[in-house]
Amino acid sequence: EAAVTQSPRNKVAVTGGKVTLSCNQTNNHNNMYWYRQDTGHGLRLIHYSYGAGSTEKGDIPDGYKASRPSQENFSLILELATPSQTSVYFCASGDAGGAETYEQYFGPGTRLTVL
Amino acid sequence: AQKVTQTQTSISVMEKTTVTMDCVYETQDSSYFLFWYKQTASGEIVFLIRQDSYKKENATVGHYSLNFQKPKSSIGLIITATQIEDSAVYFCAIGGNTRKLIFGLGTTLQVQP
C-alpha cells in the first residue's frame, strides 16, 4: 500500500488563484519535503519540515508557503498562482539520524498547470 | 555546498547486458550518504540503493550495485542483467548534515530488446 500519497494528481488553476497541494505519509517519518521537477532543472526543493508545526525554506521558496499540521500531513500552498509555477510537484518523506539525511520516499506527483 | 554531477545524459544498452552510470559529487561534510533513484515513464520516483560514506564495502541490492570510489568523489550505479523494465531515468543524490538531498539531473537509460 502506498506510503506517500498526494492529492490532487492533476490540477488546472487560473493565474492569481489559490492552489493547495496535499501530501499524506504513513511511514511515520519526521521529515517531509516538497519538490518541483522541471525539464533541465531536475528536482528542486521548495519547502521541508522536521515535524508537526515546523516548516523550513528550501532552495526555491518564493511564491510558496507550506503547512505541517500533523506528522502525517504536509501541504504546499500557492497563494497567487502564476504560469511559471506550472510544473510537476513531488512530496517525499524521510527519516534522519540527528541532522544526517537518509533516503526519502516519494509520492506519485501532482501535475499543476496554471493558465 | 553540496553538488552532484551526472555527465551521461542518456545511455542505450542491449537487454541482459551490464550498464554503469556515473555520478561525481562535491561535499564539505566528513560523513555523508549517497543515493540512487529511478524515475519510471509514469513519473514514479523509486529509491534504489544507498551508500554510507564511512563504509568501504560497496552496497548491493538485487541486480543493483554501487562502485564507490571515495578518493575520486565518485559513486557509479551498476545494473547487471538489464531488463526492458529497467528503462528509466536514474538520479544520483547526496545527503549530509543539512537534512536535505541534492539531486543530479539524471541519466536516461534505454534497454533495447
Side-chain angles (χ1 to χ4, degrees):
Chain A
E1 189 169 342
V4 182
T5 56
Q6 294 181 230
S7 62
R9 294 293 313 279
N10 290 281
K11 173 75 177 178
V12 178
V14 296
T15 298
K18 181 177 181 178
V19 176
T20 300
L21 306 182
S22 300
C23 178
N24 177 276
Q25 58 108 353
T26 57
N27 295 321
N28 198 32
H29 288 153
N30 287 330
N31 298 344
M32 294 186 74
Y33 306 83
W34 276 107
Y35 295 89
R36 63 179 283 176
Q37 184 178 38
D38 305 284
T39 302
H41 291 281
L43 285 161
R44 293 184 290 175
L45 182 64
I46 305 170
H47 283 287
Y48 60 106
S49 168
Y50 298 143
S54 88
T55 60
E56 302 289 335
K57 292 181 179 179
D59 300 321
I60 53 164
D62 292 347
Y64 302 94
K65 292 184 179 179
S67 174
R68 182 88 180 270
S70 65
Q71 176 83 341
E72 297 79 18
N73 295 294
F74 191 36
S75 297
L76 185 68
I77 303 153
L78 291 66
E79 294 278 6
L80 295 170
T82 68
S84 65
Q85 294 175 313
T86 293
S87 186
V88 180
Y89 291 85
F90 287 95
C91 175
S93 74
D95 221 339
E100 294 174 333
T101 305
Y102 301 148
E103 56 271 19
Q104 296 174 12
Y105 295 89
F106 285 80
T110 294
R111 184 173 296 276
L112 173 65
T113 302
V114 183
L115 301 175
Chain B
Q2 295 177 322
K3 184 179 178 181
V4 172
T5 303
Q6 296 180 251
T7 56
Q8 300 158 306
T9 304
S10 64
I11 301 174
S12 182
V13 301
M14 299 301 295
E15 193 178 11
K16 301 180 184 177
T17 61
T18 296
V19 62
T20 299
M21 282 174 269
D22 300 329
C23 175
V24 293
Y25 58 89
E26 297 175 22
T27 183
Q28 304 299 318
D29 295 335
S30 56
S31 176
Y32 51 90
F33 305 88
L34 299 160
F35 310 90
W36 280 91
Y37 286 83
K38 172 184 179 181
Q39 185 169 30
T40 64
S42 66
E44 181 186 17
I45 300 175
V46 179
F47 163 67
L48 294 178
I49 191 169
R50 160 183 150 183
Q51 179 77 41
D52 298 353
S53 64
Y54 54 85
K55 292 186 178 179
K56 293 185 177 180
E57 188 173 314
N58 289 321
T60 298
V61 175
H63 75 145
Y64 303 107
S65 61
L66 297 178
N67 179 19
F68 181 39
Q69 300 184 62
K70 195 171 183 178
K72 294 183 178 181
S73 296
S74 171
I75 184 74
L77 173 69
I78 303 166
I79 306 176
T80 57
T82 52
Q83 304 162 14
I84 300 297
E85 51 266 36
D86 291 324
S87 297
V89 180
Y90 290 81
F91 293 98
C92 175
I94 186 169
N97 296 326
T98 63
R99 302 199 193 202
K100 300 188 291 184
L101 294 187
I102 303 300
F103 289 85
L105 294 182
T107 296
T108 300
L109 174 66
Q110 186 163 12
V111 181
Q112 308 274 10

